[in-house]
Amino acid sequence: MAAESSNKKYSAVTDLEDMVLHLNPTVNRFATVTPTYVTKKEQKHWKRNQGCQSTGCAPSVLKNDFADIKHTTLTERGALREAARCLKCADAPCQKSCPTNLDVKAFISSISTRNYYGAAKKIFSDNPLGLTCGMVCPTSDLCVGGCNLADTEEGPINIGGLQHFATETFMKMGVPQVRDPSLTPLDQLPDSYKAKIALVGCGPASISCATFLARLGYQDVTVLEKRANPGGLSATEIPQFRLPYNVVEFEVQQMQDLGVKVKYGVELGKDGLTLESLRKEHGYEAVFLGVGLPEPKRFPVFDGLTVEHGFYTSKDFLPLVSEASKPGMCGCKSQLPQLYGRVVVLGAGDTAFDCATSALRCGASRVLVCFRRSVPEIRAVPEEADLAKDERCEFVPYSSPKEVLRDENGRVRAIEFYKMDKDNEGKYQVDEDQFVRFKADFIVCAFGSHLPEDTPLHQALAPVKFNRWGTADVDRDTMCSRDAPWVFCGGDVAGNGTTVEAAADGKHASWYLHAYLQSQYGLEVPSTPQLPNYFTAIDLVDVSVEVLGIKFPNPFGLASAPPVTSASMIRRAFEQGWGFAVTKTFGLDKDLVRNVAPRIVRGTTSGHHYGPGQGSFLNIELISEKSAEYWCTAIRELRADFPDNVIVASIMCAFSKEDWVELTQKAEASGAQALELNLSCPHGMGERGMGLACGQDPEMVLNICKWVAGALGGNEDGSVKPRIPFFAKLTPNVTDVRVIAKAAYEGGASGVTAINTVSGLMGLRGDGSAWPNVGKEQRTTYGGVSGNAVRPMALKAVSAISKALPGFPVMATGGCDSADVYVQFLHAGSPLVQICSAVQNQDFTVVEDYVTGLKAYLYLQARKDLADWDYQSPSLEKLMAARRVELGEAYGLPRFGEYELKRRVLRQQAVKDADLLAEPEKAEVVSVDPATIPSVQDQLGRALSRIGTYNELDNQQQKVAVVDDELCINCGKCYMTCNDSGYRAITFSADTHLPVVTDDCTGCTLCVSVCPVLALTMVERTTPYVPNRGIDPK
C-alpha cells in the first residue's frame, strides 16, 4: 500500500494522505476476511467487560482498596443521560414502591435540568437519609422494580444512582439545613414543643425521626448513642466502598443543624439506664427506639470459636473493617483484620455479601459464600450478589454447617456442610447422607442478628413487649408500642431491616409521636400527617421580578398556547406555582375559529426519540375556540382567586382600528394586568389577515400599537403611558426582528414578546404525506415549530432587541425548559419567560423545579468558594485533578485488555500502603450574607456587552483542543470529525485508540462538540497561529 501511495499524483490543492488517515472510516468495497485466531487475539486486546473474571485479576488486586464499587454510581454525564430517559409517569409506581415515598419523577426531572439542589430538596424532604439510601438502597426490589420502563427493551431507570448523584452533588455545596421559615417561629410555639424527647440509637431510624421532629418545631430532642460515633449500622456494618463515613457525618450534621443534640457513650441496659428511667428520672416525655439487633445468631456447631481461632460473626468482622477503613469514624488508628488464604462466609443476605467483598480487601485469596438455599433464592438484593460475583467470590448453595475442623492449635482449618435438599413442595431438609468439606483459614458467620431476652438491653426495654419474631410489638400504623403509648419504635427492633425502611419508620413515627405529645397538652393535630419539607437558605432567595410596575412572584409564565386552553388549566397552573399566565389568544366573536385534527405533533429534530423530552413540536392549532366573553369572565375570576399572580390577556384582530380598540377595552375591563398583541401566529390566522399578516409589516405593527395605546389612554409620543402595559408578540419569520421591535416601540408598546413559533414543515413520510395531515386527502400546511429547537433563534432575538432598544422590556419565549435556560434568557436581556413545550413534554409541576433552580443559581453566585462551578455543576477540572492523585501512574491508561489489567496492578500499588484513615477533603459549610445574593434584576443583560459583530472578535487570542486520556473512551469520534470535517489535526493510535491533538489544530472545536464523554476541552494556544494558506498568496 505504501508503494502504491507513493505513485499517486496530487494537485497543489490536495492534502497528502499520510498516516493521520490510516484508521479513518472508508466505504467497504468487499467483505472483510480475517482468520479466527487473529479475531481471538483482537477480542482479548479490546475486551472491556472482563470484570474480575479474567485470570489476570487476582483477588490480591483488591486488597486495601475501598474505592466505590457500586454498579449504580453515576458521573454527571451519566446522570443527565439517565434522567433524560425517565418518563415522569402519572401516579408513578416507583414512588409507591419507595418506603419513604420519594417523589421520584420530580427529583429525576430536576436532575435532567441540572437543578441538583432541587432534586436534593425533593429527596431530603421525604427522606433525611437520602444520600445514604441512594448508595445502599435495594432499589431493584423497590422503586426500580416498579419502573414502567422495565417493560421496554432499554430497561428501568437507575433510580438509586440518580439519587446518589444528586444528593452527593448537593453535599459538596456545603449548605446547612434550616427550619421552614413559613412555619410558626420556635419562640411562638406552645410549651408542648418544649417537651423532652429521647431517641435511642443514632442510626437511620432515629436520624430520620429526630429530623422530622425538629422540623415540626420540637426544641429538646436528644439522640442517645452507645458508641463514640453516630450512624448505627450504616457506620459500623456497611463497608466504606458502599457507604463512605462522610455521608453519615453529613446527614447527622443536617439533623444537628436543626438543634438536635447527640450524646455519645450512653447505653440502655448499662449503669441503670432503662426506658422507665428515661421517663421517670430524666424527664423524657416520649422515647423513640431506634436500636438495632445487637447480637449475632450463632449455632451450636460454632460454640467455643472466637476471633483468635479464625472465626468471626458479621458483628465482629464488619465493625473491625469499618474502624480501619472509614476516616473520621473513630480517633483510633485501627488495622484491617489480617485475613489470608480461604475465607468461608456463611449466609446469603446483604450482610453476608458485604462480608465476602470486605474479606477480599482484608487479604483473602479465595472467598466462598455458603448458604442453605438455592442461588435463585439468595435473599440479598441483586446489586449485592452481583458485586460479589464480579469480584470472583464463589457461591456454594444447598449447604448447612455440619462441623468445624480445627488444627492442633485450635485454629479453623476446614468446615463441613450437609447437603440441603428441596422437596417437591419447596421445603428444605438436611440430607445427612451427603456432606462436603472445604478447607478454610477463616470463617465469617452472617446468619443474621437478634435481641436475646437474657441481655441487659432487652430487659431495659420494659414495658415494651416483643412478638414471636423477636421484634417489638408495635401498632404498624403508628409505630407506637402496644404496651407503652409514650414509646415508638423503628428499624431493626421493629422488624424492618433495611436502611430505607428504618428511615421510613422514623419518618412515620415522628408524626404520631408528635400527635401523642400534643394530646398530652390538650392539643390536636390534623388526622393526615403534615410533615414539613426540607429547607435551606437557598429557599429564602427572592426570585420575584418587577416589570413595568407589575410584580411577578417569579419570572416563569405560561405562553399563549395549549397549556392555557381553558381557565381551569390556568387555575391549576397557579396552584402549582407559576408566576403568570398569558391567556390563549382570543378575538372578537366574528373571528371565532374551528381547529382541524390532528394538529400538534412531535418534532423530528431529536431523531427517533419518543416520550417526554421532545426537542421540538409542530402545531397547526389556531387561536382559542372560546369566546371573548368566556376569557374576560375567566380573567375576572382568576384575578379574584389569585391576587398575587399576573394574568396577561392575549388578543388578536385583523388590521382594523375599530376591532383592536373594541377588543382592547374588553380585555382591560376584565382586569387583566397586561395585554399581549398576537401579531405573529404563523399559520391559519395570517390567511385571514391576522397574526403573521400584520406582524411582518413594521408599518402595520406601528399602527396597531398606536391604536391599542390610544385605547388604553396613552398617546403616540409616549408622554402619557397606557393604563396597563401591553406587549407586541413578534414573529421570527422576518429578516430582522429588530425592525419590527422598533416599530412596536415607536407605536407606544410597553414591551415586546420574542418570539412566536417558527414556520416550518416537520417532515414527510415515504408516501409523500406529511404529519400532521388532515382528511382523506392527507393535506397539510406549514405549521409553527416550538421547543428547544427554536431556542437559538429566541436567544438571538431577545439579545438583539435588548441591545438595539436598551431598557425596553422583552418577554422571552421559545425553548425555555429549565432555570438554567431561563438564566440564559435573563443574561440576554429578558426578565420574564413564557413556556409551553416544556409543559407539553411533562406537566404543570415543572415550575417547582424552575423556581428552586433559579434560587440555587442566585445563591451560588454569592458563593465565591464555588466560583469555578458551572450553574450547579462542580468543577470537572478539580474532579479530574483529584482523580489523577488517586490513580497515580494508572491515570490515562485505556480501560480494556492488557491496559485494564495494568491499571489494576498500578492501582493496587497505589493503595497497598495508603493510609485508609486519612481524612478526605470535606465541603466547607458556608454561611452566606443574604445582602450579597444578587437579585434577578442584577443579572439582567449580563451577556449583552459580550455579544457583538464578527469584526469585534479578536483573532489573535486562539484556543486549541486537548484530550483528557482518563475521560476518553477511545471511540475516535474526534478523530473522524477532524479528518472529514475539520483540519486533520488529530492522530489515533492503532494500539490504544487514544487520540492526540497535534500542533496543526486550528481550534475549530468540532472535536469537542462531538465527544460523547466530555473528554476534550479548549485551552489557550501557547504558540502563534499561522493559517495554512495551501498555496502561498503572490
Side-chain angles (χ1 to χ4, degrees):
M1 292 297 292
E4 180 183 346
S5 297
S6 64
N7 294 327
K8 287 184 179 180
K9 301 287 186 180
Y10 293 95
S11 75
V13 295
T14 301
D15 294 332
L16 292 175
E17 293 189 12
D18 54 19
M19 287 301 289
V20 170
L21 296 177
H22 72 297
L23 293 177
N24 208 53
T26 57
V27 175
N28 289 333
R29 304 298 182 187
F30 305 99
T32 303
V33 180
T34 305
T36 300
Y37 82 93
V38 174
T39 301
K40 287 184 176 180
K41 289 182 179 179
E42 292 290 299
Q43 289 171 348
K44 184 177 180 181
H45 178 76
W46 300 109
K47 190 171 181 62
R48 287 184 182 269
N49 62 345
Q50 53 196 339
C52 267
Q53 305 304 316
S54 66
T55 56
C57 181
S60 60
V61 171
L62 297 172
K63 187 176 181 180
N64 225 41
D65 191 348
F66 284 81
D68 186 351
I69 62 169
K70 296 184 292 294
H71 294 160
T72 55
T73 299
L74 295 168
T75 62
E76 181 173 25
R77 170 197 169 274
L80 290 171
R81 289 180 68 90
E82 188 69 0
R85 286 205 306 124
C86 179
L87 301 179
K88 294 89 177 179
C89 306
D91 198 28
C94 52
Q95 180 174 356
K96 294 174 178 292
S97 304
C98 173
T100 58
N101 302 120
L102 289 188
D103 192 343
V104 176
K105 70 182 182 69
F107 87 68
I108 294 180
S109 182
S110 288
I111 292 173
S112 70
T113 63
R114 289 207 305 153
N115 178 14
Y116 307 136
Y117 172 68
K121 177 178 171 65
K122 275 292 180 187
I123 293 164
F124 287 126
S125 286
D126 277 304
N127 184 354
L129 290 101
L131 179 48
T132 290
C133 290
M135 290 184 167
V136 304
C137 213
T139 54
S140 59
D141 281 351
L142 302 172
C143 52
V144 172
C147 178
N148 288 328
L149 280 173
D151 207 26
T152 64
E153 296 90 337
E154 58 267 33
I157 297 296
N158 176 6
I159 298 173
L162 290 171
Q163 182 175 332
H164 170 188
F165 170 77
T167 48
E168 187 171 52
T169 301
F170 168 67
M171 178 176 71
K172 295 174 183 176
M173 294 182 187
V175 182
Q177 181 175 192
V178 300
R179 186 168 174 265
D180 183 351
S182 68
L183 299 174
T184 304
L186 295 179
D187 59 1
Q188 296 178 25
L189 288 169
D191 288 344
S192 55
Y193 287 86
K194 296 175 183 176
K196 289 185 69 175
I197 305 170
L199 298 98
V200 183
C202 194
S206 293
I207 294 171
S208 176
C209 186
T211 299
F212 281 109
L213 289 170
R215 289 181 191 173
L216 285 165
Y218 287 94
Q219 298 153 57
D220 198 348
V221 180
T222 305
V223 181
L224 309 176
E225 169 56 46
K226 69 177 182 179
R227 291 180 174 270
N229 58 271
L233 301 189
S234 294
T236 60
E237 295 190 24
I238 300 180
Q240 174 79 359
F241 51 81
R242 288 186 58 225
L243 181 61
Y245 186 67
N246 68 323
V247 171
V248 174
E249 290 182 304
F250 164 71
E251 289 169 340
V252 170
Q253 183 57 55
Q254 291 275 304
M255 172 188 75
Q256 291 177 307
D257 289 340
L258 298 176
V260 175
K261 300 179 286 292
V262 182
K263 291 184 178 179
Y264 298 105
V266 180
E267 184 176 355
L268 277 188
K270 189 175 181 181
D271 300 328
L273 190 66
T274 66
L275 274 183
E276 288 287 8
S277 69
L278 284 175
R279 188 184 191 198
K280 295 176 180 178
E281 298 174 23
H282 298 276
Y284 290 105
E285 298 181 47
V287 177
F288 176 82
L289 282 180
V291 296
L293 302 177
E295 297 297 323
K297 291 181 179 178
R298 294 178 66 111
F299 293 84
V301 69
F302 304 122
D303 285 348
L305 290 172
T306 66
V307 171
E308 286 71 27
H309 301 126
F311 176 83
Y312 293 85
T313 68
S314 61
K315 294 287 184 182
D316 301 321
F317 181 62
L318 290 176
L320 291 175
V321 175
S322 292
E323 287 175 2
S325 62
K326 293 195 171 186
M329 180 172 153
C330 65
C332 56
K333 281 292 183 180
S334 301
Q335 298 297 313
L336 290 172
Q338 298 302 299
L339 305 187
Y340 54 84
R342 296 177 177 85
V343 175
V344 173
V345 176
L346 306 176
D350 296 335
T351 301
F353 288 105
D354 280 341
C355 291
T357 48
S358 294
L360 292 171
R361 286 155 177 79
C362 294
S365 59
R366 185 179 176 189
V367 175
L368 280 68
V369 183
C370 304
F371 44 92
R372 287 171 288 192
R373 295 178 180 268
S374 66
V375 171
E377 294 174 294
I378 287 175
R379 289 191 301 107
V381 294
E383 296 94 321
E384 287 265 27
D386 288 346
L387 285 174
K389 183 177 68 174
D390 288 349
E391 296 189 343
R392 301 181 75 187
C393 294
E394 301 169 53
F395 295 0
V396 185
Y398 302 111
S399 302
S400 179
K402 172 181 177 291
E403 182 182 0
V404 176
L405 284 72
R406 299 201 257 178
D407 62 18
E408 62 275 12
N409 297 318
R411 281 195 55 81
V412 168
R413 67 177 180 87
I415 181 170
E416 291 182 349
F417 293 93
Y418 285 121
K419 176 77 182 296
M420 298 292 293
D421 196 19
K422 188 176 183 181
D423 63 23
N424 292 334
E425 295 180 357
K427 295 180 179 179
Y428 283 90
Q429 296 176 340
V430 174
D431 183 353
E432 295 189 359
D433 292 332
Q434 298 187 68
F435 64 90
V436 65
R437 176 185 295 175
F438 292 111
K439 292 180 180 179
D441 296 294
F442 295 90
I443 296 172
V444 182
C445 181
F447 278 146
S449 54
H450 65 148
L451 180 56
E453 293 183 8
D454 58 354
T455 58
L457 175 60
H458 192 288
Q459 296 163 7
L461 295 181
V464 173
K465 294 183 180 178
F466 288 73
N467 55 34
R468 61 193 178 96
W469 295 285
T471 57
D473 187 17
V474 299
D475 181 337
R476 293 296 176 183
D477 289 326
T478 64
M479 303 310 293
C480 178
S481 168
R482 297 185 191 276
D483 305 292
W486 50 278
V487 178
F488 296 78
C489 305
D492 281 333
V493 76
N496 295 318
T498 65
T499 301
V500 69
E501 288 172 339
D505 285 351
K507 172 184 179 180
H508 200 69
S510 69
W511 179 259
Y512 294 99
L513 191 156
H514 166 59
Y516 165 76
L517 283 176
Q518 295 306 306
S519 69
Q520 299 303 295
Y521 286 79
L523 301 173
E524 294 184 354
V525 301
S527 57
T528 301
Q530 297 178 5
L531 292 172
N533 285 329
Y534 181 81
F535 267 79
T536 72
I538 292 175
D539 299 295
L540 305 178
V541 175
D542 181 11
V543 293
S544 64
V545 184
E546 186 169 314
V547 178
L548 296 169
I550 302 173
K551 185 173 182 179
F552 294 76
N554 65 62
F556 303 106
L558 293 171
S560 177
V564 291
T565 294
S566 67
S568 62
M569 294 171 75
I570 297 177
R571 178 178 298 277
R572 202 160 67 248
F574 284 164
E575 290 169 349
Q576 304 313 310
W578 289 86
F580 70 100
V582 185
T583 68
K584 186 81 169 165
T585 301
F586 60 92
L588 297 171
D589 289 350
K590 67 186 182 71
D591 295 322
L592 284 171
V593 301
R594 173 183 291 185
N595 278 305
V596 297
R599 60 182 179 274
I600 305 173
V601 299
R602 60 175 287 273
T604 57
T605 55
S606 297
H608 300 289
H609 170 75
Y610 301 93
Q614 292 298 321
S616 63
F617 290 91
L618 177 136
N619 82 88
I620 52 173
E621 182 164 290
L622 300 178
I623 63 174
S624 178
E625 294 178 322
K626 294 180 169 58
S627 66
E629 186 57 36
Y630 169 89
W631 280 111
C632 290
T633 301
I635 292 169
R636 281 190 287 271
E637 292 178 355
L638 290 167
R639 282 297 313 278
D641 294 342
F642 299 94
D644 295 330
N645 294 85
V646 177
I647 301 176
V648 180
S650 176
I651 59 176
M652 177 188 286
C653 298
F655 190 67
S656 164
K657 180 176 181 179
E658 291 75 17
D659 289 356
W660 279 105
V661 169
E662 179 184 353
L663 191 56
T664 295
Q665 291 175 342
K666 282 187 176 182
E668 181 191 12
S670 72
Q673 289 109 310
L675 306 182
E676 182 175 87
L677 317 184
N678 188 335
L679 305 176
S680 46
C681 184
H683 48 267
M685 304 312 296
E687 298 163 29
R688 306 180 185 202
M690 308 165 77
L692 189 76
C694 299
Q696 289 180 321
D697 186 332
E699 189 66 26
M700 296 175 76
V701 170
L702 174 72
N703 283 307
I704 291 172
C705 289
K706 286 183 176 180
W707 299 336
V708 171
L712 294 172
N715 59 9
E716 294 185 9
D717 63 9
S719 58
V720 178
K721 300 295 181 184
R723 288 183 293 272
I724 60 173
F726 69 94
F727 295 79
K729 189 171 186 178
L730 308 182
T731 175
N733 303 297
V734 293
T735 303
D736 189 345
V737 72
R738 293 174 296 182
V739 174
I740 309 299
K742 288 179 180 177
Y745 173 75
E746 292 168 0
S750 311
V752 293
T753 301
I755 54 174
N756 208 322
T757 55
V758 178
S759 184
L761 183 66
M762 191 52 77
L764 299 171
R765 294 170 168 173
D767 63 359
S769 65
W771 184 247
N773 60 61
V774 178
K776 296 178 181 179
E777 300 81 5
Q778 295 186 318
R779 295 190 63 83
T780 193
T781 187
Y782 301 114
V785 179
S786 65
N788 294 357
V790 307
R791 184 189 303 154
M793 290 166 263
L795 281 168
K796 178 190 174 183
V798 169
S799 59
I801 294 168
S802 296
K803 287 180 69 69
L805 299 168
F808 189 49
V810 181
M811 265 200 292
T813 183
C816 183
D817 64 351
S818 66
D820 186 13
V821 174
Y822 164 74
V823 170
Q824 297 175 44
F825 279 108
L826 178 65
H827 288 166
S830 175
L832 301 169
V833 67
Q834 300 177 16
I835 296 169
C836 164
S837 294
V839 176
Q840 292 179 166
N841 266 316
Q842 187 50 43
D843 57 57
F844 286 140
T845 62
V846 294
V847 71
E848 184 179 23
D849 169 56
Y850 302 165
V851 170
T852 58
L854 177 57
K855 288 182 175 184
Y857 166 76
L858 295 172
Y859 177 88
L860 293 177
Q861 290 296 294
R863 289 284 300 276
K864 303 306 179 185
D865 58 313
L866 303 181
D868 56 354
W869 284 41
D870 175 22
Y871 184 52
Q872 295 186 42
S873 300
S875 167
L876 182 60
E877 184 179 348
K878 277 189 177 179
L879 177 67
M880 296 314 295
R883 184 88 172 133
R884 186 181 293 276
V885 172
E886 177 188 350
L887 290 178
E889 293 181 22
Y891 189 95
L893 283 176
R895 288 176 291 276
F896 56 77
E898 63 268 31
Y899 298 108
E900 172 60 22
L901 299 181
K902 185 177 181 181
R903 283 178 67 96
R904 292 173 183 173
V905 172
L906 290 171
R907 166 73 181 164
Q908 174 55 27
Q909 291 174 358
V911 302
K912 67 178 181 179
D913 298 321
D915 181 2
L916 296 179
L917 298 178
E919 289 279 357
E921 183 179 350
K922 296 179 182 178
E924 182 183 358
V925 177
V926 176
S927 296
V928 175
D929 180 356
T932 65
I933 299 173
S935 67
V936 173
Q937 192 66 35
D938 292 335
Q939 299 288 308
L940 184 63
R942 187 174 172 181
L944 295 180
S945 62
R946 298 182 174 97
I947 302 172
T949 64
Y950 183 87
N951 287 339
E952 293 175 300
L953 304 180
D954 185 354
N955 62 13
Q956 298 302 309
Q957 298 186 57
Q958 298 280 336
K959 290 192 175 184
V960 293
V962 64
V963 181
D964 188 323
D965 291 345
E966 182 62 24
L967 289 172
C968 180
I969 60 171
N970 321 105
C971 66
K973 297 305 298 181
C974 56
Y975 166 71
M976 290 186 285
T977 194
C978 190
N979 281 333
D980 288 357
S981 300
Y983 295 84
R984 297 184 184 175
I986 296 179
T987 61
F988 197 55
S989 168
D991 187 56
T992 65
H993 278 187
L994 284 171
V996 175
V997 181
T998 71
D999 291 340
D1000 293 330
C1001 178
T1002 66
C1004 75
T1005 322
L1006 264 174
C1007 57
V1008 176
S1009 301
V1010 301
C1011 178
V1013 291
L1014 311 178
L1016 287 112
T1017 52
M1018 301 299 292
V1019 299
E1020 296 296 331
R1021 187 184 189 97
T1022 58
T1023 58
Y1025 171 56
V1026 180
N1028 180 359
R1029 304 298 184 188
I1031 298 176
D1032 291 333
K1034 296 179 180 178

